[in-house]
Amino acid sequence: MLSLVQQPRPTVSAEETASSKDSAPPNIVLIVCDNLGYGDIEPFGSQLHRTPCLNRMAKEGRKFTHFCVTAGVCTPSRASFMTGCYSQRVGMHDNPRDGLVLRPVSPYGLHPEETTIAETLKQAEYKTAIIGKWHLGDQPSFLPTAQGFDYFFGIPYSDDMTARDNWPPLPLMHNESVIEAPADRDTLTKRYTERATEFIRQHSEEPFFLYLPHAMPGSTPHPYSSADFQGKSRNGPWGDSIEELDWSVGEILETIKAEGIAEQTLVIWTSDNGAPLAKELESPTRGSNQPLPGRGYTTAEGAFRVPTLMWWPGHIPAGTECDQLVTCMDILPTAAALAGTGLPARSIDGHDVLPLMLGDDGAQSPYDAFYYYHQDQLQAVRKGPWKLFIPLTSFSRHPYFKKGKENSLILFNVQTDFACEQNVADQHPEIVKQLLRLAEVARVDLGDTDRKGAGQRTAGHVENPTPRVKTAP
């Protein structure tokens, strides 16, 4: 039977993995926006938002048009970025208390026995920082500083989780301490950017990993931005926040260049999932996933496939595009290969995709199959260009099936049919059979509704969780 997981392998040096010009492992900057859609920036087709810095990043770097996350919502997606695993493997897809994502004062969080990308890179003596939104547990044993990060400045969960339902005011934290409550959301992007550029300058002469998970455009109906950007876009608060995020990446890249470390620094810019979209789908006020179909928070392509740019002067070929399937689970194993560390002791699902990043001739996606879960329910399977939605008798949310209706197989070629308008299941019965077999591989390993998988591990859990609040000096 096929195996989903990549087993631990011997240490591989960066020199053996990449055609690197330098012996030192590269710095890595991972920028992840919140709920930003495929069609929200100019390099991916937006004609509404002005994103000159991202345009320049695309011109100097590489665009990934089939980069997928592992969930349509933030907690499970972010768990995959950090661990290289499907969230179903590490228990961050669902729990009895919180539902789709972790809520404030949850007893659950990323298990301390899981190995994060920060812990992996610490093995190679990287300095590590997270500046932004964590959302993998707000209890002390789940916070970033307990998961491999030397430094944390940001919020522990989503910016819409403000004081209500016995939740505390939204906390802005420095390491384990709350320094502002409620956090001034208007200035989060600006302050995150200032802290990020300061971190880069401080550590420009040693290897560093900077994780910058922005809070914007976020989950509120009206995203936040600083005074310099408020009211300046052509798309209200959503556009204002997008254009400030564009400014932010420009500041990051300019700082890297000014420090003379551009050829030693890999920058990845992406989103944690697709845009939620407005109630009226034609309205751009809560983002665009065009030309992909569907809303965020689902298993549609518009939820799982996100705009992604990678930049590493002298290594990643400028002005190029990759249409092979790459996922957020690949960041950790690729970083491990670049840094010359081994993979985590526990099995992971991602792959080293450096050949695709560097544009090597003939490089292909390493995925035999990719799985689309909604919480604990397997809804779709992808292999190559083919994405199959599996018939379901019950579901809480689905981008195509209707409750109370007979729902049959749906097969799309997501390479040629970006909008997923042509169901070709009847024309490709052998492809359907193959994908159904792969679905069973996932069920055995990662589980399915009311069925536990053999490869699933548990989330972390604490008794008597406490809120993160500002204490008196």
Side-chain angles (χ1 to χ4, degrees):
M1 177 174 284
L2 292 169
S3 172
L4 287 184
V5 300
Q6 183 177 1
Q7 298 298 329
R9 54 163 168 70
T11 297
V12 179
S13 70
E15 293 88 349
E16 292 173 314
T17 306
S19 55
S20 175
K21 297 176 183 177
D22 308 291
S23 59
N27 310 309
I28 301 172
V29 179
L30 174 60
I31 304 172
V32 181
C33 302
D34 191 7
N35 284 356
L36 186 144
Y38 195 91
D40 271 333
I41 63 172
E42 286 184 293
F44 283 77
S46 176
Q47 297 182 353
L48 184 61
H49 303 139
R50 296 164 295 190
T51 57
C53 298
L54 288 166
N55 291 348
R56 186 164 64 251
M57 185 179 182
K59 184 177 180 180
E60 296 175 0
R62 187 162 171 84
K63 183 165 74 168
F64 288 75
T65 57
H66 282 258
F67 185 97
C68 285
V69 293
T70 59
V73 291
C74 48
T75 291
S77 171
R78 289 160 190 266
S80 294
F81 275 106
M82 288 295 97
T83 67
C85 298
Y86 286 101
S87 61
Q88 289 72 25
R89 187 172 304 287
V90 295
M92 294 299 288
H93 60 299
D94 196 13
N95 68 63
R97 188 245 194 198
D98 297 307
L100 287 170
V101 299
L102 293 180
R103 309 291 179 180
V105 204
S106 175
Y108 296 95
L110 182 64
H111 201 296
E113 292 185 8
E114 299 295 343
T115 301
T116 67
I117 184 173
E119 290 169 320
T120 299
L121 293 174
K122 290 289 285 183
Q123 298 173 30
E125 300 185 353
Y126 276 63
K127 296 297 182 182
T128 59
I130 169 177
I131 298 171
K133 169 185 167 180
W134 175 236
H135 215 169
L136 294 177
D138 66 359
Q139 298 307 292
S141 59
F142 305 141
L143 287 171
T145 49
Q147 305 271 15
F149 288 96
D150 300 319
Y151 176 78
F152 172 41
F153 178 83
I155 56 178
Y157 35 73
S158 290
D159 74 300
D160 64 329
M161 295 180 177
T162 54
R164 65 182 190 276
D165 302 326
N166 295 318
W167 297 349
L170 181 67
L172 178 66
M173 302 185 68
H174 174 228
N175 294 333
E176 299 86 25
S177 300
V178 177
I179 59 173
E180 182 179 294
D184 179 359
R185 289 177 283 180
D186 283 340
T187 60
L188 283 180
T189 299
K190 180 179 180 180
R191 286 190 283 174
Y192 289 168
T193 305
E194 291 169 348
R195 295 282 180 135
T197 54
E198 179 183 9
F199 178 83
I200 292 168
R201 287 191 291 268
Q202 288 177 343
H203 299 286
S204 62
E205 296 186 1
E206 57 189 335
F208 64 81
F209 171 59
L210 170 61
Y211 176 39
L212 179 54
H214 281 291
M216 301 301 150
S219 302
T220 65
H222 304 287
Y224 296 84
S225 57
S226 63
D228 288 343
F229 292 89
Q230 290 175 7
K232 303 296 175 62
S233 78
R234 294 172 291 182
N235 189 30
W238 191 275
D240 297 347
S241 72
I242 297 287
E243 294 185 4
E244 186 166 27
L245 290 168
D246 178 76
W247 163 83
S248 174
V249 73
E251 293 293 297
I252 299 291
L253 297 183
E254 287 305 311
T255 300
I256 290 168
K257 291 176 180 178
E259 292 297 313
I261 56 173
E263 292 195 359
Q264 291 81 47
T265 306
L266 166 64
V267 181
I268 301 170
W269 188 97
T270 187
S271 181
D272 66 345
N273 51 256
L277 307 185
K279 185 176 181 180
E280 304 79 17
L281 291 177
E282 299 77 15
S283 170
T285 56
R286 295 203 71 194
S288 168
N289 297 322
Q290 291 295 323
L292 305 176
R295 300 177 181 274
Y297 312 158
T298 71
T299 52
E301 281 299 279
F304 270 60
R305 209 186 323 170
V306 292
T308 301
L309 300 171
M310 299 192 190
W311 179 93
W312 187 9
H315 302 269
I316 288 177
T320 60
E321 183 175 307
C322 176
D323 65 358
Q324 294 291 305
L325 175 64
V326 177
T327 84
C328 63
M329 299 183 290
D330 302 327
I331 306 300
L332 185 153
T334 304
L338 287 168
T341 70
L343 290 175
R346 291 180 163 192
S347 58
I348 67 171
D349 300 293
H351 304 269
D352 176 3
V353 293
L354 195 61
L356 291 171
M357 291 168 56
L358 299 181
D360 288 357
D361 290 341
Q364 299 290 317
S365 174
Y367 284 88
D368 187 65
F370 177 70
Y371 299 102
Y372 297 72
Y373 275 87
H374 180 74
Q375 294 182 279
D376 63 347
Q377 184 176 58
L378 179 64
Q379 293 192 347
V381 184
R382 177 174 171 178
K383 178 178 174 60
W386 303 107
K387 179 179 180 180
L388 179 73
F389 281 95
I390 303 161
L392 300 171
T393 55
S394 63
F395 46 87
S396 62
R397 181 177 297 182
H398 200 282
Y400 296 99
F401 295 167
K402 305 297 181 185
K403 294 181 179 180
K405 303 286 186 180
E406 183 177 350
N407 298 300
S408 58
L409 294 159
I410 301 176
L411 180 68
F412 296 124
N413 185 323
V414 295
Q415 287 278 3
T416 60
D417 181 16
F418 254 55
C420 297
E421 294 174 327
Q422 304 297 321
N423 179 8
V424 293
D426 290 343
Q427 298 158 240
H428 299 280
E430 291 305 315
I431 296 293
V432 169
K433 288 179 182 179
Q434 185 179 29
L435 290 169
L436 289 174
R437 286 195 295 269
L438 290 169
E440 185 58 23
V441 174
R443 294 187 185 103
V444 169
D445 193 20
L446 297 174
D448 201 352
T449 308
D450 299 324
R451 176 177 173 181
K452 184 172 175 59
Q456 290 188 281
R457 306 190 285 262
T458 61
H461 183 270
V462 300
E463 299 293 336
N464 305 312
T466 57
R468 306 277 68 77
V469 294
K470 188 175 181 180
T471 57

